[in-house]
Each structure stands twice: as C-alpha cells, then as structure tokens.
Amino acid sequence: MVIVGGGFAGLYAARRLGGRPVRVTLVDRQNYHLFSPLLYQVATAALSPGEIAQPIRSLLREHANVRVLMADVTGIDVDAKRVRLAREVGEDWLEYDYLILAAGARHAYFGHDEWAAHAPGLKTIDDALEIRRRFLRAYEAAEAETDRTARDAWLTFVIVGGGPTGVELAGTMAEIAHRTLRREFRSIDPSASRILLLEGGPRVLPAFPESLSESARRQLERLGVEVRTGTLATEVDAAGVRVGDERIEARTVFWAAGVAASPLAQDLGATLDRAGRVVVEPDLSVPGHPEVCVVGDLAAFTHQPGLKGAPLPGVAQVAIQQGKAAGDNVWRRVQGEPTVAFRYFEPGNMATIG
C-alpha cells in the first residue's frame, strides 16, 4: 500500500500500519515531517527550522515494514492503481493495492495568483524563512531610509487573514516590534511600527467560540495590532494593499487568508468542494474507489454529527485522527472486515498570541 504525504495524517497512518504484515511505502517531496503549528515561530525568528522538523525515516525507524521514498507525486491513475513519481532520476510509476492520500493543501489567493510574489503565505519551512527575511529586512531598510514616507511604508506590516496563522503572526510580530527590537536601532523606533491584521469575516479566529475571538482581538490590540474585521484586500502589490477605496502603503505583506487543496484530488474523479477537497465517504474512502482513502487537509468530511454537513476544519488534530482511522480501515479491508465510520473527537483549539 502507498501513503502520499508525510504530514500529520500520512505519518500517523503509517504508524498505524507499522508492524503489521503489509508492505507500506510513504512518499513525500521532503524527507522530513514538519510540525506546522509552530511555523509562525520560525517565521518570527523564535525557533530555528531544525526545531520543528524531524526526518520521517527516524520517526518510522521501528516499523520495518514501512519504507520512505522521497519523490514528488505528480499524478494518480485510480483505474490502474498507481501513482506517478517525479524524482531526480526521472519519472516512474508506483503501484498500490490500497492508497491513503494525505497530500495536504497550498496557498489560495482567490484567483489572484500574482499576489503571491508580494504576499508570501506560511505552509513550508521555505515560506517561514522568506517571511522572516522580509520581516527583519524591513527594519534594516527603514533604518537606512531618509524619506519619512518611505520609512513609514517599511515600518507598516499587513497580515491578510485572521485565522490562527494570521493571529499568531500578528501577535508575535507586534511583540517583537514593541519590545524585542525597541532599543536595537538608532534612526528608527521599531515600537512605532504599524501592524495591521485584515479579516474578511466579522471576527478573528472564526472557528473559535465568539468569546475567545473577542478575547483574542483585545489581546492583539493591547499588543499594538490594528485589527480590522469585515475587511477584504482587493489589490496587493509590491508597495502595499488596497482595501476598498483605501490604499495602505506597506512594503511588507503576509498572506494567511485561504488554502486550496492539492491538485492531486482532481485525478480521483470524485466530487470536490469549493476548496478542491475530496468529498469522502463516512469511512474516509473515495466514492467508487473503496481502496482509496483521503485524509487531512485534502478531505472534505461532512458526516460529523452536530456540524449539519459542514466539513471538519483543516487542523492537525483532525489530520492525526483521520490518519489513524484510515490506517485501521485499510487493515480491516486487508482482512476482509467491514470498515468503521470516522468520528472526530474535539480536544479543543489553541492559538498563541505573543
């Protein structure tokens, strides 16, 4: 069997199948597992990349039946039961009896992919290092700038998206600007930085209870963040952001507003939701292809009681539990047993502000 993706869902599926009399191949374009909830701390120089990444092989070392293959999966042929791999030595196919697809999601700019060059998102270590570079470079540029207007633009930071990533980035950047860097420069005052958090919905952290959203807003504002809800970015370029009729001059913009599912979902021939995620069966399998399970950020699971058909959120807790469940269901199929419907246990959500 083949598992595509070494994130939370893929890793925990592999662990679930480890030690069982089946051959498992886990394929990922990187050879390390990334603890993505702490990416924002790498982006703000609080952690180094090595502190949130660990080799997948070391995490699966105890499972002799699991091998790890570093390759980019570029296609899936569900009829022939094989996935197409792109490696340095060229392209080839990897056959499977069962497939667990945990390829995750990427940034979504709502039809404006040209904004990506001016507003990087935060999904990978490379993204985090780019955000760190732009954030710290802005202060260096401001220190050397003699024109007041240009200096203010360098000291204005805009974060688009008020979910956990945007909130955590804004809080940490405000803390760094107003406290950590306060006495580090001679020509500028970093505590005078403007940090704006733009959220299109009515409140930040929309997946949290309203009381916590309001608490988060108050905490951000105490740190000096300008929180604007009901605010949509309509233009992003190298010099700033346009919000309706207002132009915000900012040389540093970060994107935390949306994600789109991996394009591999399109190869399955299944129904996709608006974000490109696969609408899965209650047991996480693909309709018409019970040998294929889709889990994590790539799955639109709409069968959770109490959610009235709304999909589960794309968070680590969901991915971990789905990975375990998919591994168990694949093992049940191998043994000729019926699968079990997935049910998500909500352990709670957390966002760290500053």
Side-chain angles (χ1 to χ4, degrees):
M1 62 188 62
V2 172
I3 300 172
V4 177
F8 286 108
L11 176 65
Y12 278 83
R15 282 179 162 176
R16 210 66 164 189
L17 292 164
R20 290 175 169 168
V22 292
R23 290 182 297 173
V24 180
T25 300
L26 188 153
V27 186
D28 194 282
R29 61 165 58 94
Q30 306 291 348
N31 63 358
Y32 56 83
H33 169 73
L34 179 65
F35 193 83
S36 52
L38 289 181
L39 266 174
Y40 80 96
Q41 292 203 23
V42 174
T44 52
L47 293 176
S48 66
E51 292 178 277
I52 66 167
Q54 187 170 353
I56 298 174
R57 288 185 175 83
S58 70
L59 293 170
L60 298 173
R61 183 183 297 131
E62 298 178 357
H63 305 300
N65 65 314
V66 181
R67 72 161 178 162
V68 178
L69 200 59
M70 183 176 170
D72 192 6
V73 176
T74 57
I76 302 172
D77 186 339
V78 290
D79 295 324
K81 293 185 178 181
R82 60 181 187 172
V83 297
R84 185 171 63 241
L85 307 180
R87 295 186 285 176
E88 293 183 1
V89 295
E91 287 194 346
D92 58 357
W93 291 90
L94 179 65
E95 297 181 348
Y96 63 82
D97 296 311
Y98 298 93
L99 173 66
I100 297 177
L101 187 58
R106 53 190 172 83
H107 309 307
Y109 290 88
F110 308 115
H112 294 278
D113 290 345
E114 69 275 11
W115 294 356
H118 312 299
L122 186 57
K123 281 291 182 184
T124 68
I125 285 180
D126 287 342
D127 293 337
L129 293 176
E130 177 63 14
I131 288 176
R132 175 193 292 192
R133 185 187 70 81
R134 294 191 185 201
F135 179 58
L136 297 178
R137 182 199 63 177
Y139 288 105
E140 299 296 340
E143 175 77 358
E145 183 60 64
T146 57
D147 180 78
R148 176 63 182 271
T149 301
R151 178 185 293 179
D152 288 346
W154 280 114
L155 292 177
T156 300
F157 303 88
V158 176
I159 300 163
V160 183
T165 298
V167 164
E168 290 177 331
L169 269 179
T172 305
M173 288 179 174
E175 193 170 56
I176 290 172
H178 299 145
R179 300 178 185 176
T180 308
L181 300 180
R182 187 171 52 187
R183 300 179 180 176
E184 297 294 318
F185 295 87
R186 300 295 176 263
S187 299
I188 62 170
D189 178 9
S191 65
S193 300
R194 288 185 69 198
I195 298 176
L196 294 90
L197 179 63
L198 311 182
E199 165 57 36
R203 58 190 177 96
V204 298
L205 299 180
F208 286 54
E210 288 190 27
S211 60
L212 293 182
S213 293
E214 182 57 32
S215 174
R217 179 175 188 138
R218 290 195 302 268
Q219 292 181 57
L220 287 167
E221 289 174 343
R222 281 199 297 268
L223 286 170
V225 178
E226 298 179 36
V227 180
R228 299 191 186 184
T229 54
T231 304
L232 295 174
T234 56
E235 182 183 337
V236 180
D237 56 37
V241 176
R242 181 171 295 281
V243 179
D245 295 331
E246 180 187 3
R247 172 75 181 180
I248 302 172
E249 298 297 329
R251 296 298 301 271
T252 313
V253 182
F254 302 124
W255 190 262
V259 295
S262 165
L264 289 175
Q266 300 171 16
D267 291 354
L268 301 179
T271 300
L272 307 181
D273 70 0
R274 293 177 59 186
R277 297 174 297 183
V278 179
V279 180
V280 296
E281 299 280 20
D283 65 354
L284 300 172
S285 65
V286 174
H289 289 280
E291 76 282 359
V292 180
C293 288
V294 180
V295 291
D297 290 354
L298 194 55
F301 185 85
T302 59
H303 311 283
Q304 183 75 11
L307 291 186
K308 300 179 181 179
L312 289 172
V315 295
Q317 299 98 312
V318 172
I320 289 171
Q321 292 181 36
Q322 287 186 344
K324 292 177 179 179
D328 288 341
N329 275 338
V330 165
W331 176 240
R332 290 187 182 99
R333 291 190 186 278
V334 170
Q335 295 182 300
E337 299 176 357
T339 58
V340 175
F342 173 70
R343 288 295 178 266
Y344 174 57
F345 168 72
E346 172 62 79
N349 287 322
M350 182 176 71
T352 304
I353 303 173

